[in-house]
mmCIF file with all atom_site columns, all heavy atoms in Angstrom:
data_model
loop_
_atom_site.group_PDB
_atom_site.id
_atom_site.type_symbol
_atom_site.label_atom_id
_atom_site.label_alt_id
_atom_site.label_comp_id
_atom_site.label_asym_id
_atom_site.label_entity_id
_atom_site.label_seq_id
_atom_site.pdbx_PDB_ins_code
_atom_site.Cartn_x
_atom_site.Cartn_y
_atom_site.Cartn_z
_atom_site.occupancy
_atom_site.B_iso_or_equiv
_atom_site.pdbx_formal_charge
_atom_site.auth_seq_id
_atom_site.auth_comp_id
_atom_site.auth_asym_id
_atom_site.auth_atom_id
_atom_site.pdbx_PDB_model_num
ATOM 1   N N   . GLN A 1 70 ? 12.121 1.191   3.194   1.00 0.00 ? 1132 GLN A N   1
ATOM 2   C CA  . GLN A 1 70 ? 12.152 -0.043  3.986   1.00 0.00 ? 1132 GLN A CA  1
ATOM 3   C C   . GLN A 1 70 ? 11.711 -1.232  3.112   1.00 0.00 ? 1132 GLN A C   1
ATOM 4   O O   . GLN A 1 70 ? 12.331 -2.300  3.146   1.00 0.00 ? 1132 GLN A O   1
ATOM 5   C CB  . GLN A 1 70 ? 11.228 0.122   5.183   1.00 0.00 ? 1132 GLN A CB  1
ATOM 6   C CG  . GLN A 1 70 ? 11.256 -0.995  6.178   1.00 0.00 ? 1132 GLN A CG  1
ATOM 7   C CD  . GLN A 1 70 ? 10.297 -0.712  7.338   1.00 0.00 ? 1132 GLN A CD  1
ATOM 8   O OE1 . GLN A 1 70 ? 9.625  0.298   7.398   1.00 0.00 ? 1132 GLN A OE1 1
ATOM 9   N NE2 . GLN A 1 70 ? 10.242 -1.634  8.255   1.00 0.00 ? 1132 GLN A NE2 1
ATOM 10  N N   . THR A 1 71 ? 10.678 -1.032  2.324   1.00 0.00 ? 1133 THR A N   1
ATOM 11  C CA  . THR A 1 71 ? 10.180 -2.081  1.429   1.00 0.00 ? 1133 THR A CA  1
ATOM 12  C C   . THR A 1 71 ? 11.223 -2.428  0.368   1.00 0.00 ? 1133 THR A C   1
ATOM 13  O O   . THR A 1 71 ? 11.456 -3.609  0.089   1.00 0.00 ? 1133 THR A O   1
ATOM 14  C CB  . THR A 1 71 ? 8.871  -1.616  0.754   1.00 0.00 ? 1133 THR A CB  1
ATOM 15  O OG1 . THR A 1 71 ? 7.924  -1.310  1.766   1.00 0.00 ? 1133 THR A OG1 1
ATOM 16  C CG2 . THR A 1 71 ? 8.317  -2.684  -0.168  1.00 0.00 ? 1133 THR A CG2 1
ATOM 17  N N   . ASP A 1 72 ? 11.863 -1.408  -0.195  1.00 0.00 ? 1134 ASP A N   1
ATOM 18  C CA  . ASP A 1 72 ? 12.900 -1.657  -1.206  1.00 0.00 ? 1134 ASP A CA  1
ATOM 19  C C   . ASP A 1 72 ? 14.046 -2.489  -0.632  1.00 0.00 ? 1134 ASP A C   1
ATOM 20  O O   . ASP A 1 72 ? 14.514 -3.433  -1.268  1.00 0.00 ? 1134 ASP A O   1
ATOM 21  C CB  . ASP A 1 72 ? 13.452 -0.340  -1.749  1.00 0.00 ? 1134 ASP A CB  1
ATOM 22  C CG  . ASP A 1 72 ? 12.472 0.402   -2.632  1.00 0.00 ? 1134 ASP A CG  1
ATOM 23  O OD1 . ASP A 1 72 ? 11.445 -0.187  -3.028  1.00 0.00 ? 1134 ASP A OD1 1
ATOM 24  O OD2 . ASP A 1 72 ? 12.722 1.597   -2.918  1.00 0.00 ? 1134 ASP A OD2 1
ATOM 25  N N   . ILE A 1 73 ? 14.502 -2.138  0.555   1.00 0.00 ? 1135 ILE A N   1
ATOM 26  C CA  . ILE A 1 73 ? 15.613 -2.866  1.175   1.00 0.00 ? 1135 ILE A CA  1
ATOM 27  C C   . ILE A 1 73 ? 15.206 -4.299  1.488   1.00 0.00 ? 1135 ILE A C   1
ATOM 28  O O   . ILE A 1 73 ? 15.973 -5.239  1.275   1.00 0.00 ? 1135 ILE A O   1
ATOM 29  C CB  . ILE A 1 73 ? 16.127 -2.131  2.423   1.00 0.00 ? 1135 ILE A CB  1
ATOM 30  C CG1 . ILE A 1 73 ? 16.790 -0.811  2.006   1.00 0.00 ? 1135 ILE A CG1 1
ATOM 31  C CG2 . ILE A 1 73 ? 17.111 -2.998  3.203   1.00 0.00 ? 1135 ILE A CG2 1
ATOM 32  C CD1 . ILE A 1 73 ? 17.134 0.102   3.154   1.00 0.00 ? 1135 ILE A CD1 1
ATOM 33  N N   . ALA A 1 74 ? 13.978 -4.488  1.983   1.00 0.00 ? 1136 ALA A N   1
ATOM 34  C CA  . ALA A 1 74 ? 13.495 -5.844  2.274   1.00 0.00 ? 1136 ALA A CA  1
ATOM 35  C C   . ALA A 1 74 ? 13.456 -6.688  0.999   1.00 0.00 ? 1136 ALA A C   1
ATOM 36  O O   . ALA A 1 74 ? 13.826 -7.865  1.020   1.00 0.00 ? 1136 ALA A O   1
ATOM 37  C CB  . ALA A 1 74 ? 12.120 -5.785  2.921   1.00 0.00 ? 1136 ALA A CB  1
ATOM 38  N N   . GLN A 1 75 ? 13.034 -6.084  -0.104  1.00 0.00 ? 1137 GLN A N   1
ATOM 39  C CA  . GLN A 1 75 ? 13.012 -6.816  -1.375  1.00 0.00 ? 1137 GLN A CA  1
ATOM 40  C C   . GLN A 1 75 ? 14.414 -7.189  -1.820  1.00 0.00 ? 1137 GLN A C   1
ATOM 41  O O   . GLN A 1 75 ? 14.654 -8.310  -2.263  1.00 0.00 ? 1137 GLN A O   1
ATOM 42  C CB  . GLN A 1 75 ? 12.323 -5.975  -2.445  1.00 0.00 ? 1137 GLN A CB  1
ATOM 43  C CG  . GLN A 1 75 ? 10.836 -5.868  -2.260  1.00 0.00 ? 1137 GLN A CG  1
ATOM 44  C CD  . GLN A 1 75 ? 10.179 -4.965  -3.287  1.00 0.00 ? 1137 GLN A CD  1
ATOM 45  O OE1 . GLN A 1 75 ? 10.827 -4.100  -3.879  1.00 0.00 ? 1137 GLN A OE1 1
ATOM 46  N NE2 . GLN A 1 75 ? 8.893  -5.168  -3.508  1.00 0.00 ? 1137 GLN A NE2 1
ATOM 47  N N   . VAL A 1 76 ? 15.347 -6.255  -1.679  1.00 0.00 ? 1138 VAL A N   1
ATOM 48  C CA  . VAL A 1 76 ? 16.730 -6.514  -2.077  1.00 0.00 ? 1138 VAL A CA  1
ATOM 49  C C   . VAL A 1 76 ? 17.315 -7.654  -1.257  1.00 0.00 ? 1138 VAL A C   1
ATOM 50  O O   . VAL A 1 76 ? 17.965 -8.556  -1.789  1.00 0.00 ? 1138 VAL A O   1
ATOM 51  C CB  . VAL A 1 76 ? 17.586 -5.236  -1.923  1.00 0.00 ? 1138 VAL A CB  1
ATOM 52  C CG1 . VAL A 1 76 ? 19.064 -5.565  -2.031  1.00 0.00 ? 1138 VAL A CG1 1
ATOM 53  C CG2 . VAL A 1 76 ? 17.193 -4.207  -2.959  1.00 0.00 ? 1138 VAL A CG2 1
ATOM 54  N N   . LEU A 1 77 ? 17.078 -7.624  0.042   1.00 0.00 ? 1139 LEU A N   1
ATOM 55  C CA  . LEU A 1 77 ? 17.630 -8.661  0.915   1.00 0.00 ? 1139 LEU A CA  1
ATOM 56  C C   . LEU A 1 77 ? 17.004 -10.032 0.657   1.00 0.00 ? 1139 LEU A C   1
ATOM 57  O O   . LEU A 1 77 ? 17.565 -11.054 1.029   1.00 0.00 ? 1139 LEU A O   1
ATOM 58  C CB  . LEU A 1 77 ? 17.478 -8.258  2.383   1.00 0.00 ? 1139 LEU A CB  1
ATOM 59  C CG  . LEU A 1 77 ? 18.284 -7.019  2.791   1.00 0.00 ? 1139 LEU A CG  1
ATOM 60  C CD1 . LEU A 1 77 ? 18.008 -6.643  4.237   1.00 0.00 ? 1139 LEU A CD1 1
ATOM 61  C CD2 . LEU A 1 77 ? 19.778 -7.230  2.567   1.00 0.00 ? 1139 LEU A CD2 1
ATOM 62  N N   . GLN A 1 78 ? 15.842 -10.047 0.003   1.00 0.00 ? 1140 GLN A N   1
ATOM 63  C CA  . GLN A 1 78 ? 15.207 -11.314 -0.370  1.00 0.00 ? 1140 GLN A CA  1
ATOM 64  C C   . GLN A 1 78 ? 15.586 -11.735 -1.789  1.00 0.00 ? 1140 GLN A C   1
ATOM 65  O O   . GLN A 1 78 ? 15.105 -12.738 -2.293  1.00 0.00 ? 1140 GLN A O   1
ATOM 66  C CB  . GLN A 1 78 ? 13.692 -11.196 -0.264  1.00 0.00 ? 1140 GLN A CB  1
ATOM 67  C CG  . GLN A 1 78 ? 13.208 -11.048 1.156   1.00 0.00 ? 1140 GLN A CG  1
ATOM 68  C CD  . GLN A 1 78 ? 11.699 -10.863 1.228   1.00 0.00 ? 1140 GLN A CD  1
ATOM 69  O OE1 . GLN A 1 78 ? 11.009 -10.859 0.222   1.00 0.00 ? 1140 GLN A OE1 1
ATOM 70  N NE2 . GLN A 1 78 ? 11.202 -10.721 2.432   1.00 0.00 ? 1140 GLN A NE2 1
ATOM 71  N N   . GLY A 1 79 ? 16.424 -10.934 -2.441  1.00 0.00 ? 1141 GLY A N   1
ATOM 72  C CA  . GLY A 1 79 ? 16.876 -11.279 -3.777  1.00 0.00 ? 1141 GLY A CA  1
ATOM 73  C C   . GLY A 1 79 ? 15.969 -10.798 -4.891  1.00 0.00 ? 1141 GLY A C   1
ATOM 74  O O   . GLY A 1 79 ? 16.097 -11.227 -6.026  1.00 0.00 ? 1141 GLY A O   1
ATOM 75  N N   . VAL A 1 80 ? 15.036 -9.904  -4.568  1.00 0.00 ? 1142 VAL A N   1
ATOM 76  C CA  . VAL A 1 80 ? 14.116 -9.365  -5.571  1.00 0.00 ? 1142 VAL A CA  1
ATOM 77  C C   . VAL A 1 80 ? 14.531 -7.931  -5.874  1.00 0.00 ? 1142 VAL A C   1
ATOM 78  O O   . VAL A 1 80 ? 14.743 -7.142  -4.960  1.00 0.00 ? 1142 VAL A O   1
ATOM 79  C CB  . VAL A 1 80 ? 12.664 -9.377  -5.031  1.00 0.00 ? 1142 VAL A CB  1
ATOM 80  C CG1 . VAL A 1 80 ? 11.709 -8.750  -6.030  1.00 0.00 ? 1142 VAL A CG1 1
ATOM 81  C CG2 . VAL A 1 80 ? 12.244 -10.785 -4.664  1.00 0.00 ? 1142 VAL A CG2 1
ATOM 82  N N   . LYS A 1 81 ? 14.620 -7.614  -7.158  1.00 0.00 ? 1143 LYS A N   1
ATOM 83  C CA  . LYS A 1 81 ? 14.959 -6.238  -7.528  1.00 0.00 ? 1143 LYS A CA  1
ATOM 84  C C   . LYS A 1 81 ? 13.689 -5.385  -7.433  1.00 0.00 ? 1143 LYS A C   1
ATOM 85  O O   . LYS A 1 81 ? 12.701 -5.657  -8.113  1.00 0.00 ? 1143 LYS A O   1
ATOM 86  C CB  . LYS A 1 81 ? 15.524 -6.171  -8.940  1.00 0.00 ? 1143 LYS A CB  1
ATOM 87  C CG  . LYS A 1 81 ? 15.946 -4.771  -9.317  1.00 0.00 ? 1143 LYS A CG  1
ATOM 88  C CD  . LYS A 1 81 ? 16.548 -4.712  -10.691 1.00 0.00 ? 1143 LYS A CD  1
ATOM 89  C CE  . LYS A 1 81 ? 16.918 -3.268  -10.982 1.00 0.00 ? 1143 LYS A CE  1
ATOM 90  N NZ  . LYS A 1 81 ? 17.438 -3.097  -12.319 1.00 0.00 ? 1143 LYS A NZ  1
ATOM 91  N N   . PRO A 1 82 ? 13.711 -4.347  -6.584  1.00 0.00 ? 1144 PRO A N   1
ATOM 92  C CA  . PRO A 1 82 ? 12.525 -3.498  -6.479  1.00 0.00 ? 1144 PRO A CA  1
ATOM 93  C C   . PRO A 1 82 ? 12.305 -2.710  -7.762  1.00 0.00 ? 1144 PRO A C   1
ATOM 94  O O   . PRO A 1 82 ? 13.262 -2.340  -8.437  1.00 0.00 ? 1144 PRO A O   1
ATOM 95  C CB  . PRO A 1 82 ? 12.837 -2.562  -5.311  1.00 0.00 ? 1144 PRO A CB  1
ATOM 96  C CG  . PRO A 1 82 ? 14.303 -2.632  -5.110  1.00 0.00 ? 1144 PRO A CG  1
ATOM 97  C CD  . PRO A 1 82 ? 14.787 -3.915  -5.703  1.00 0.00 ? 1144 PRO A CD  1
ATOM 98  N N   . PRO A 1 83 ? 11.026 -2.456  -8.115  1.00 0.00 ? 1145 PRO A N   1
ATOM 99  C CA  . PRO A 1 83 ? 10.748 -1.699  -9.339  1.00 0.00 ? 1145 PRO A CA  1
ATOM 100 C C   . PRO A 1 83 ? 11.409 -0.321  -9.333  1.00 0.00 ? 1145 PRO A C   1
ATOM 101 O O   . PRO A 1 83 ? 11.883 0.141   -10.344 1.00 0.00 ? 1145 PRO A O   1
ATOM 102 C CB  . PRO A 1 83 ? 9.225  -1.563  -9.342  1.00 0.00 ? 1145 PRO A CB  1
ATOM 103 C CG  . PRO A 1 83 ? 8.715  -2.508  -8.332  1.00 0.00 ? 1145 PRO A CG  1
ATOM 104 C CD  . PRO A 1 83 ? 9.828  -2.840  -7.413  1.00 0.00 ? 1145 PRO A CD  1
ATOM 105 N N   . LEU A 1 84 ? 11.421 0.310   -8.181  1.00 0.00 ? 1146 LEU A N   1
ATOM 106 C CA  . LEU A 1 84 ? 12.027 1.632   -8.052  1.00 0.00 ? 1146 LEU A CA  1
ATOM 107 C C   . LEU A 1 84 ? 12.842 1.611   -6.766  1.00 0.00 ? 1146 LEU A C   1
ATOM 108 O O   . LEU A 1 84 ? 12.294 1.673   -5.671  1.00 0.00 ? 1146 LEU A O   1
ATOM 109 C CB  . LEU A 1 84 ? 10.948 2.719   -7.980  1.00 0.00 ? 1146 LEU A CB  1
ATOM 110 C CG  . LEU A 1 84 ? 11.406 4.145   -7.718  1.00 0.00 ? 1146 LEU A CG  1
ATOM 111 C CD1 . LEU A 1 84 ? 12.282 4.633   -8.870  1.00 0.00 ? 1146 LEU A CD1 1
ATOM 112 C CD2 . LEU A 1 84 ? 10.216 5.057   -7.551  1.00 0.00 ? 1146 LEU A CD2 1
ATOM 113 N N   . ASN A 1 85 ? 14.147 1.484   -6.880  1.00 0.00 ? 1147 ASN A N   1
ATOM 114 C CA  . ASN A 1 85 ? 14.982 1.435   -5.689  1.00 0.00 ? 1147 ASN A CA  1
ATOM 115 C C   . ASN A 1 85 ? 15.209 2.862   -5.196  1.00 0.00 ? 1147 ASN A C   1
ATOM 116 O O   . ASN A 1 85 ? 16.134 3.540   -5.622  1.00 0.00 ? 1147 ASN A O   1
ATOM 117 C CB  . ASN A 1 85 ? 16.304 0.730   -5.977  1.00 0.00 ? 1147 ASN A CB  1
ATOM 118 C CG  . ASN A 1 85 ? 17.083 0.456   -4.710  1.00 0.00 ? 1147 ASN A CG  1
ATOM 119 O OD1 . ASN A 1 85 ? 16.622 0.737   -3.606  1.00 0.00 ? 1147 ASN A OD1 1
ATOM 120 N ND2 . ASN A 1 85 ? 18.268 -0.097  -4.859  1.00 0.00 ? 1147 ASN A ND2 1
ATOM 121 N N   . SER A 1 86 ? 14.350 3.296   -4.299  1.00 0.00 ? 1148 SER A N   1
ATOM 122 C CA  . SER A 1 86 ? 14.378 4.675   -3.817  1.00 0.00 ? 1148 SER A CA  1
ATOM 123 C C   . SER A 1 86 ? 15.081 4.825   -2.477  1.00 0.00 ? 1148 SER A C   1
ATOM 124 O O   . SER A 1 86 ? 15.054 5.900   -1.884  1.00 0.00 ? 1148 SER A O   1
ATOM 125 C CB  . SER A 1 86 ? 12.941 5.188   -3.688  1.00 0.00 ? 1148 SER A CB  1
ATOM 126 O OG  . SER A 1 86 ? 12.232 4.381   -2.770  1.00 0.00 ? 1148 SER A OG  1
ATOM 127 N N   . SER A 1 87 ? 15.711 3.777   -1.986  1.00 0.00 ? 1149 SER A N   1
ATOM 128 C CA  . SER A 1 87 ? 16.276 3.825   -0.639  1.00 0.00 ? 1149 SER A CA  1
ATOM 129 C C   . SER A 1 87 ? 17.394 4.855   -0.497  1.00 0.00 ? 1149 SER A C   1
ATOM 130 O O   . SER A 1 87 ? 17.453 5.567   0.508   1.00 0.00 ? 1149 SER A O   1
ATOM 131 C CB  . SER A 1 87 ? 16.756 2.445   -0.205  1.00 0.00 ? 1149 SER A CB  1
ATOM 132 O OG  . SER A 1 87 ? 17.634 1.903   -1.155  1.00 0.00 ? 1149 SER A OG  1
ATOM 133 N N   . LYS A 1 88 ? 18.259 4.978   -1.486  1.00 0.00 ? 1150 LYS A N   1
ATOM 134 C CA  . LYS A 1 88 ? 19.346 5.954   -1.389  1.00 0.00 ? 1150 LYS A CA  1
ATOM 135 C C   . LYS A 1 88 ? 18.795 7.379   -1.400  1.00 0.00 ? 1150 LYS A C   1
ATOM 136 O O   . LYS A 1 88 ? 19.212 8.226   -0.610  1.00 0.00 ? 1150 LYS A O   1
ATOM 137 C CB  . LYS A 1 88 ? 20.342 5.762   -2.534  1.00 0.00 ? 1150 LYS A CB  1
ATOM 138 C CG  . LYS A 1 88 ? 21.552 6.654   -2.422  1.00 0.00 ? 1150 LYS A CG  1
ATOM 139 C CD  . LYS A 1 88 ? 22.543 6.395   -3.527  1.00 0.00 ? 1150 LYS A CD  1
ATOM 140 C CE  . LYS A 1 88 ? 23.704 7.357   -3.444  1.00 0.00 ? 1150 LYS A CE  1
ATOM 141 N NZ  . LYS A 1 88 ? 24.597 7.235   -4.582  1.00 0.00 ? 1150 LYS A NZ  1
#
Side-chain angles (χ1 to χ4, degrees):
Q1132 186 180 0
T1133 302
D1134 289 348
I1135 292 171
Q1137 288 177 337
V1138 167
L1139 295 177
Q1140 292 177 1
V1142 177
K1143 183 178 179 183
L1146 175 64
N1147 190 3
S1148 60
S1149 53
K1150 185 177 176 187

